[in-house]
Amino acid sequence: MTVLVFLDPSYPDGRIADATKPTLMATDQGATRGDGIFESLLAVGGAPRKMQAHLDRLGSSARALDLDIPEQETWRRAMATALAEFRQGVTADDASDEAVVKLIVTRGVEGSATPTAWVQVSTPPAAGKLQRETGIDVLLLDRGFDSGLAERAPWLLLGAKTLSYAVNMAALRYAHANGADDVIFTSSDGRVLEGPTSSVLLAQLEGEGQTQVKRLITPRLDSGILPGTSQGALFKAARAAGWELGYGPLEPADLFDADAVWLISSIRLLAPVNRIDGKEIGAADVRASLTAELSALMDGAE
Ligand code: PLP
């Protein structure tokens, strides 16, 4: 089931549209050029998770693209309308009560100066839940950029969440065609970057028992990757729980030497990586217990 609510000045709470009917102009630059931005977040029981972090990141993507987008309060109202409509429509046996909320803005129809903006709420894909439990196999794939390019070439929009995800989807198809579930991109200078729809995390354990040091590391946020709202929220919760935190730079060898590696994102949440390029990462029991510990920290983390 899918619900659409357009942000429209004539409707303060948003205008509900029929998702089974054409609703977008064929000349919309989101369709003709992929010129726009989006956010994907999870709602549980009708409540969007990490809403402020997602609205803030939508704002920074909009600034990177020079897009004049609606106020945060307008998005909050449209989300509330869309989630209420969605919850009315889902059947009682849809017990998980989870929904994927997308906030989408395009540059609008050709020749107009008004962006098109809408909220889409839909049922989460079943595969994500399964992968949280069973883990994933990942391929390292070259993204072809060096890790300093984002700073030198802001017009490439590397840190923005733009609608141009065709390359990310192609990388996932490549992984599926080659027996893997997902991808970790590397830079041309040999750094670990991110997944096509996720951030990369690794854990290092030192010592044992009471004095054990547990360290959580993610790639440098200025290396041309999207700063993950899930990684940010988990880091806050993990710090409070006594973990040490680090921000790269990371190389593939760091992944192979880690006690555990995860891909983390708003909808699938924490997916443990079983193998990278066919090589097992860490030990299965350590991976499982760290995944349980960090998943519990993520529950309710904003
Ligand atoms: N990196 C990329 C390229 C993404 O597309 C995403 C999410 O879709 C992430 C990282 C993780 O971001 P978040 O945790 O905010 O979902």
Side-chain angles (χ1 to χ4, degrees), residues 54 57 161 165 168 194-199 226 228-230 264-266:
H54 284 284
R57 192 172 61 187
K161 197 162 167 71
Y165 260 49
N168 304 38
E194 63 185 346
T197 63
S198 57
S199 310
L226 186 74
T229 62
S230 315
I264 181 173
S265 54
S266 297

Side-chain angles (χ1 to χ4, degrees), residues 38-42 50 53-54 57 143 158 160-162 165 168-169 185 193-200 224-233 263-269 298:
F38 75 108
E39 281 295 319
S40 292
L41 54 136
L42 187 68
K50 303 189 265 87
H54 284 284
R57 192 172 61 187
R143 189 178 244 177
L158 291 179
K161 197 162 167 71
T162 75
Y165 260 49
N168 304 38
M169 297 299 108
F185 285 123
L193 296 174
E194 63 185 346
T197 63
S198 57
S199 310
V200 176
I225 63 175
L226 186 74
T229 62
S230 315
Q231 170 271 318
L263 293 186
I264 181 173
S265 54
S266 297
I267 312 301
R268 188 174 58 185
L269 305 174
M298 270 189 87

